[in-house]
């Protein structure tokens, strides 16, 4: 994995971790979380993140 790909993966995992915590706390709905996850995948294009996503589909 290149340094660029690693950094994108790291940024995605950090951001999605925050979103998951907000969802667990009830501060995000499932729909809002799904929208955030999709946008983060689009922005960061994580190679592992799409495989580990809670979404039922990948980009």
């Amino acid at each position: 994995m290149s340094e660029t790909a690693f950094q994108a993966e790291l940024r995605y995992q950090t951001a999605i971790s925050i979103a998951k915590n907000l969802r667990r706390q009830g501060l995000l709905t499932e729909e809002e979380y799904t929208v955030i996850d999709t946008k983060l995948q689009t922005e960061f294009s994580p190679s592992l993140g799409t495989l580990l996503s809670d979404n039922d589909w990948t980009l």
Side-chain angles (χ1 to χ4, degrees):
M1 179 181 284
S2 71
E3 181 64 24
T4 303
F6 175 77
Q7 289 299 321
E9 189 70 41
L10 182 63
R11 288 183 183 112
Y12 170 79
Q13 292 298 334
T14 301
I16 203 63
S17 177
I18 293 168
K20 284 180 181 180
N21 282 329
L22 291 171
R23 184 180 62 176
R24 275 189 228 113
Q25 293 174 21
L27 299 173
L28 288 177
T29 65
E30 190 65 35
E31 183 180 341
E32 290 168 327
Y33 173 82
T34 300
V35 169
I36 289 169
D37 187 22
T38 301
K39 287 182 179 185
L40 290 173
Q41 286 182 38
T42 301
E43 182 173 339
F44 296 116
S45 301
S47 55
L48 297 175
T50 54
L51 298 174
L52 303 173
S53 175
D54 292 335
N55 284 342
D56 292 334
W57 52 273
T58 59
L59 296 175

